[in-house]
Amino acid sequence: MALHCPECGFTNAEGSNYCQRCGSFIGAQAPEGGVAEGQTATYRVGETGEFIPVEIGDVVDARGAALVIRSGGGRTGESFVLEADRMSIGRRPDADIFLDDVTVSRDHAMLVHRSDEWFLDDLGSLNGTYVNRQRIESQRLGDGDELQVGKYKLTFLSR
């Protein structure tokens, strides 16, 4: 059974989680007890650079929110628990969420925890910061929102 994207109407292959044309979540479910074909595994990078598989529910439960890279830079599936009230995103090596690509500004964006909600603030980046394909200056984030920072597409998850 083909799946139609609710955003652009593109017909996607059975088992797709995201639209092949626009990248929107199309809601495919994993088969019982398994992972749907093409579904992204989630991991974190350990201190020595090893990949450590994680359950996304565990990542979100740790602090209540996380970002998962959906595409870009060969890092699909890498997750970041939002552990501090302010977390920087950028190409600067000491950024909390380091995205090493020329499409990402050194100080690209900032995640800020305000009044029990998360906000994404653009820091004057050259290529802009997007939430659900809309360029933003500051945006409150909701569970499942798609963020784009340079060529990276990330999903915001919260409980």
Side-chain angles (χ1 to χ4, degrees):
M1 180 173 122
L3 298 171
H4 295 278
C5 175
E7 295 294 321
C8 72
F10 184 77
T11 303
N12 293 276
E14 183 176 348
S16 297
N17 290 317
Y18 295 94
C19 178
Q20 295 169 350
R21 178 184 290 161
C22 72
S24 295
F25 179 70
I26 56 177
Q29 299 297 314
E32 192 171 322
V35 175
E37 184 178 328
Q39 183 173 342
T40 302
T42 305
Y43 67 91
R44 67 179 175 81
V45 178
E47 291 181 16
T48 59
E50 77 278 15
F51 295 145
I52 302 168
V54 295
E55 290 294 323
I56 198 60
D58 296 339
V59 171
V60 174
D61 287 343
R63 167 83 177 176
L67 286 180
V68 177
I69 297 177
R70 281 193 22 227
S71 66
R75 295 171 60 188
T76 301
E78 186 173 350
S79 60
F80 303 91
V81 177
L82 304 187
E83 300 175 309
D85 287 335
R86 296 177 61 82
M87 293 185 68
S88 60
I89 301 172
R91 193 168 32 100
R92 189 178 301 279
D94 62 347
D96 297 308
I97 299 173
F98 173 55
L99 302 175
D100 190 17
D101 187 78
V102 296
T103 61
V104 178
S105 296
R106 288 176 157 287
D107 298 305
H108 198 102
M110 182 73 66
L111 286 158
V112 182
H113 195 233
R114 300 179 192 130
S115 304
D116 289 332
E117 295 185 306
W118 284 97
F119 288 81
L120 179 65
D121 298 339
D122 183 76
L123 298 177
S125 63
L126 182 62
N127 291 323
T129 302
Y130 296 80
V131 174
N132 300 323
R133 294 181 303 282
Q134 300 290 321
R135 190 168 183 157
I136 59 102
E137 288 185 29
S138 181
Q139 175 73 39
R140 183 180 60 80
L141 298 175
D143 185 46
D145 280 349
E146 176 189 274
L147 286 59
Q148 185 168 349
V149 177
K151 72 176 186 180
Y152 291 89
K153 288 188 178 181
L154 307 100
T155 300
F156 174 78
L157 301 169
S158 67
R159 55 178 164 138

